[in-house]
Amino acid sequence: QVQLRESGGGLVQAGDSLTLSCHTSGGTYSTFALGWFRQFPGKEREYVAAIGWQFGSPYYADSSKGRFTISIDNFNNAVYLQMDNLQPEDTAVYYCAAGSFSQERLWGRYWGQGTQVTVSS
């Protein structure tokens, strides 16, 4: 079973940066595409970014282009999300996800428990 563990969330001020980490386990890491979602209370989880396994090619939702950077460490089975110039509108629970990539986005099958990112103004 694929297991995902996020870390790195916290309380920051507008304009700050954070890097979220996701460590995976379960032995089938390379079978799936990896990426990040975020979720506001009462709303559906929103796709943020995904990364290709073989070449580490990044893909981004339109809302995350320019400020967010996704990367992967294949040997350590970890994926990261660097978030720059954070704004209060970025406040959400961020989830690491593993699944399939189609229709220009990641479709999550396995999820971490989430890490809270709160941006104050």
Side-chain angles (χ1 to χ4, degrees), residues 3-118:
Q3 294 183 332
L4 310 171
R5 296 178 289 111
E6 306 100 334
S7 62
L11 175 63
V12 299
Q13 295 182 343
D16 286 353
S17 297
L18 276 177
T19 298
L20 306 181
S21 300
C22 175
H23 289 82
T24 71
S25 62
T28 58
Y29 173 77
S30 62
T31 303
F32 302 97
L34 299 172
W36 295 89
F37 288 71
R38 63 184 178 182
Q39 186 171 23
F40 301 94
K43 295 190 65 178
E44 188 177 68
R45 289 180 187 180
E46 175 185 279
Y47 167 66
V48 174
I51 190 161
W53 171 252
Q54 293 188 341
F55 298 100
S57 302
Y59 301 88
Y60 300 98
D62 289 341
S63 61
S64 62
K65 292 179 180 177
R67 295 191 298 118
F68 292 179
T69 303
I70 189 170
S71 61
I72 193 168
D73 181 346
N74 304 72
F75 291 102
N76 290 294
N77 295 333
V79 62
Y80 306 93
L81 183 69
Q82 179 181 329
M83 303 182 292
D84 297 319
N85 192 24
L86 285 163
Q87 301 298 311
E89 293 75 20
D90 297 315
T91 296
V93 178
Y94 285 73
Y95 294 89
C96 181
S100 60
F101 187 85
S102 66
Q103 300 178 355
E104 300 183 336
R105 59 159 286 180
L106 176 69
W107 301 86
R109 178 180 179 183
Y110 300 99
W111 304 90
Q113 293 194 145
T115 184
Q116 177 71 46
V117 174
T118 302

